[in-house]
Amino acid sequence: MKVLVPVKRVIDYNVKARVKADGSGVDLDNVKMAMNPFDEIAVEEAVRLKEAGSVSEVVAVSCGVAACQETLRAALALGADRAVLVNTDVELQPLAVAKLLKALCDRELPSLVICGKQAIDDDSNQTGQMLAALLDCGQATFASKVKLEGGSAMVTREVDGGLETLSLELPAVITTDLRLNEPRYATLPNIMKAKKKPIDTLTPAELGVDVAPRLKTLKVVEPPTRQAGEIVPDIATLVSRLKNQAKVI
Ligand code: AMP
């Protein structure tokens, strides 16, 4: 059984994003990039399923610029068997990525796709859902536990007020939540081994997908600087401030 894991190259979560001076986007020059944290969780889950004997092959895929190869090498070092880069310099939007992944699924025929629930750069939370729609298959988003049983997957999701467990017929799409697992660190020997694992490169045209952006970013601005807090002496002052100054009560 094959699992496909889409991994996105994003700005490292430790880096404070800066907006470009002309407001056209986020400044990525000389910024540390890394694998989207939810995708690390997805790779970890796929590798654990392989280690448990339920999965035979883990294929990582990244769509974007040539530097996404670094992200794919990181996935290979975590235990993916091989990788595919869908190479394009066009800024990809979730629908374009979902279409590319659908075209790749038609070639690779995975039984399961495990995506991150969202990419921490655009925070879209759309790609996995759109992919499931394009594949016309079941989806379980925000998974906190995954168990494979025969031809189905039992997925536990955190919902308001409790846990929901879904049974999905495979093939299916699962998106990972933070509590699904704690990804391992890649060991040096595995990083070295990853250099020898294969990365195939394809283009959107080879997959027959038009990735032209459908959305236009009008302007990107920094959030307003947070005002300093103030300690008030008593409740009466607090109520008066909320009423007369903040005007929220
Ligand atoms: P988003 O819908 O943009 O929040 O992304 C959700 C998930 O889709 C990510 O966690 C990845 O698993 C996958 N994904 C999004 N963009 C890409 C990309 N360019 N390459 C590979 N996977 C992606």
Side-chain angles (χ1 to χ4, degrees), residues 6-9 36 38-39 61-64 92 94 97 101 114-119 121-129:
V7 292
K8 187 175 187 186
R9 177 177 183 264
N36 183 43
F38 292 107
D39 303 352
V61 49
S62 194
C63 310
L92 295 172
V97 177
L101 295 175
I114 310 183
C115 297
K117 76 166 177 184
Q118 76 194 66
D121 52 359
D122 58 19
D123 274 340
S124 292
N125 178 6
Q126 294 176 359
T127 309
Q129 294 88 329

Side-chain angles (χ1 to χ4, degrees), residues 93-106:
Q93 293 172 350
L95 181 59
V97 177
K99 286 181 183 170
L100 291 172
L101 295 175
K102 151 82 169 111
L104 207 59
C105 284
D106 290 346

